[in-house]
Amino acid sequence: MSAKKPLVVVTRKLPAPIEARMGELFDVRLNAGDRPMSANELAAAMREADVLVPTVTDRIDAKLLAQAGENLRLIAQFGTGVDNIDVESARRRGITVTNTPGVLTEDTADMTMALILAVPRRLSEGARYLREHEGAWPGWSPTWMLGHRITGKRLGIIGMGRIGQAVAARARPFGLEIHYHNRKPANAVIERELEATFWENLDDMLAKVDIVSVNCPLTPQTFHLIDTRRLKLLKPDAYIVNTARGEIIDENALLRALEAGELAGAGLDVFEREPSVSPRLVALPNVISLPHMGSATIEGRVEMGGKVIVNIKTFMDGHRPPDRVIPAIM
């Protein structure tokens, strides 16, 4: 590359320290208003930019990639998942894709554990009652707002990668039995440390656990992995928590199961049609619905931005970026 700074287009507002550092290193075009770009605006940016910095809400498909300019050689995703990008189409056009893996493991696991604790104990319902019935609470009662203890219950983790393991590590001290389904068993040392039981067959695990935590990536194979048939395998007093991707669960099927009393409750940080969320789902008292907050910590977002900068700088210096996404291993 020449001494001329590369044009880096950032699609959303990023933490101030990251934007400031990008301004020092690159010819950067920021999105101060934080308004999501339309497909036409993304296409225009891709025609001009040397580097595009999108987020998980930007849909970059083959049609959009076909409109990219010759200078676009790197898409440096601000996020871990890359299901919003047609990585294979990018590769065929000579465009490298990077992401920010590992940064959000602890934050997402914390949020997952928070939901695992909150949903069975009806924390959201209790807080909402006091807020909506000011002065009407009659006081403590032996039989009011009863939930379920989690000690001794079986937690079934779908996806035993970094986040799944971090969830298991948090859940063990609370007395939960750890069960998991994954493409292959975890390392034997990890299994021993977490006292985790591997289930090769997902259906068999779902029928036996009390709480399900969805922690796998969204791929064509995991789209609607939890559908009507699999929801019916769960116990009526089971709970399901999802901090991965909304599309992994068939949301309409989940809604029907919850409304029919076939599930005890759910904790959802992600939704199938984000940012659209079903009002029926939000209205259910036994569902905690959060606006995709799993990675929303200052520390996490700054670390994500730091990885984006390292990937861009390494690439522009003529080296392989450390977080290059390879389609074959996604």
Side-chain angles (χ1 to χ4, degrees), residues 92-137:
R92 289 197 297 266
R93 296 188 65 83
I95 300 171
T96 297
V97 176
T98 61
N99 64 344
T100 59
V103 172
L104 305 178
T105 298
E106 304 305 322
D107 297 332
T108 306
D110 284 347
M111 184 62 78
T112 305
M113 194 65 218
L115 290 170
I116 289 171
L117 289 167
V119 177
R121 291 302 305 271
R122 304 174 67 180
L123 298 191
S124 181
E125 290 180 71
R128 188 184 305 123
Y129 180 89
L130 290 182
R131 187 170 60 249
E132 296 177 355
H133 301 82
E134 185 177 355
W137 178 47

Side-chain angles (χ1 to χ4, degrees), residues 79-81 99-110 112 157-170 182 186 190 194 215-217 307 322-324 329:
T80 300
N99 64 344
T100 59
V103 172
L104 305 178
T105 298
E106 304 305 322
D107 297 332
T108 306
D110 284 347
T112 305
I157 298 173
I158 302 176
M160 202 60 154
R162 293 188 188 98
I163 295 173
Q165 291 173 29
V167 170
R170 285 158 172 75
N182 205 45
I190 292 172
L194 298 174
N215 299 111
C216 60
K307 273 187 169 282
D323 300 312
R324 184 173 63 124
I329 63 172

Side-chain angles (χ1 to χ4, degrees), residues 63-247:
K63 181 180 177 181
L64 205 59
L65 285 162
Q67 302 177 62
E70 293 184 0
N71 290 336
L72 183 64
R73 286 293 172 261
L74 176 64
I75 297 175
Q77 170 98 322
F78 184 88
T80 300
V82 291
D83 47 276
N84 59 307
I85 303 171
D86 188 332
V87 179
E88 179 56 33
S89 291
R91 185 195 66 80
R92 289 197 297 266
R93 296 188 65 83
I95 300 171
T96 297
V97 176
T98 61
N99 64 344
T100 59
V103 172
L104 305 178
T105 298
E106 304 305 322
D107 297 332
T108 306
D110 284 347
M111 184 62 78
T112 305
M113 194 65 218
L115 290 170
I116 289 171
L117 289 167
V119 177
R121 291 302 305 271
R122 304 174 67 180
L123 298 191
S124 181
E125 290 180 71
R128 188 184 305 123
Y129 180 89
L130 290 182
R131 187 170 60 249
E132 296 177 355
H133 301 82
E134 185 177 355
W137 178 47
W140 181 88
S141 166
T143 57
W144 188 66
M145 202 61 76
L146 299 182
H148 287 279
R149 70 167 57 135
I150 64 169
T151 300
K153 299 297 191 297
R154 292 183 169 190
L155 173 64
I157 298 173
I158 302 176
M160 202 60 154
R162 293 188 188 98
I163 295 173
Q165 291 173 29
V167 170
R170 285 158 172 75
R172 280 294 301 140
F174 283 92
L176 284 157
E177 293 183 16
I178 307 302
H179 300 258
Y180 75 97
H181 170 76
N182 205 45
R183 286 182 298 176
K184 58 182 180 180
N187 180 281
V189 174
I190 292 172
E191 274 198 348
R192 281 198 305 272
E193 289 177 351
L194 298 174
E195 299 181 55
T197 300
F198 171 66
W199 293 76
E200 184 175 3
N201 188 292
L202 176 59
D203 290 0
D204 291 343
M205 185 186 80
L206 292 176
K208 296 294 185 182
V209 298
D210 304 292
I211 304 169
V212 176
S213 178
V214 179
N215 299 111
C216 60
L218 175 63
T219 67
Q221 290 72 37
T222 61
F223 177 79
H224 282 189
L225 181 69
I226 306 299
D227 55 11
T228 298
R229 183 185 67 80
R230 285 198 163 120
L231 286 168
K232 289 185 180 298
L233 296 174
L234 293 168
K235 304 173 185 177
D237 58 354
Y239 301 90
I240 189 162
V241 169
N242 187 8
T243 58
R245 284 289 186 269
E247 297 94 327

Side-chain angles (χ1 to χ4, degrees), residues 22-50:
M22 283 184 167
E24 295 170 358
L25 294 171
F26 316 123
D27 176 12
V28 64
R29 187 180 301 167
L30 302 172
N31 183 348
D34 201 29
R35 181 180 62 82
M37 287 186 174
S38 66
N40 287 337
E41 289 170 329
L42 278 171
M46 292 167 68
R47 284 193 290 269
E48 298 180 69
D50 298 301

